Amino acid sequence: MPTDSIWSFRADSGYVEGRDPTGFAVHASDGAVGRVDRQAGHFGMRHLVVDTGVWVFGRSALVPVGVVRRVDPAARTVTLGCTRAEVKAAPRFRTDSETMDRAYLAAVGDYYHRLAVGEAPRP
């Protein structure tokens, strides 16, 4: 998977351009992760900010849209192509300003890209 594709919805994901997934439940391959707080796409790096609730001590996670395997508008769900532990181990999302930080976004993209190609992510 090319690195840029981590920032684009897969053609077979069911995502419809212009449809806002805010509020949709987010599921990893092994269980619930949280809810989509918002979608953003600064610098062409489209991503979801996911409110994980109490699961990860009330913090949010930033997930590139290329990690999304399925969007089901009827069920209001987004299914990711990774596990809960992989979401939790991603570079930590601390503040909204990070959605505008190219270096942070690149680190997140690199982490998820390595998962997609089956490499061990760098710490």
Side-chain angles (χ1 to χ4, degrees), residues 1 6 21-22 24 30 32 59 69 71 92 100 103-104 107 118 123:
M1 166 185 293
I6 205 74
T22 298
F24 284 26
D30 59 349
R59 73 176 223 227
R69 292 296 168 254
V71 177
R92 186 163 186 162
M100 299 284 288
Y104 171 75

Side-chain angles (χ1 to χ4, degrees), residues 17 22-23 35 38 54 63 71 81 92 96 104 108 117:
E17 194 64 46
T22 298
R35 295 212 171 271
R38 65 191 169 284
V54 296
V63 179
V71 177
R92 186 163 186 162
D96 284 341
Y104 171 75
V108 170
V117 297

Side-chain angles (χ1 to χ4, degrees), residues 31-52:
V33 173
R35 295 212 171 271
V36 177
D37 185 43
R38 65 191 169 284
Q39 176 178 267
H42 307 293
F43 315 114
M45 298 171 158
R46 292 176 72 179
H47 56 273
L48 304 175
V49 176
V50 178
D51 178 355
T52 63

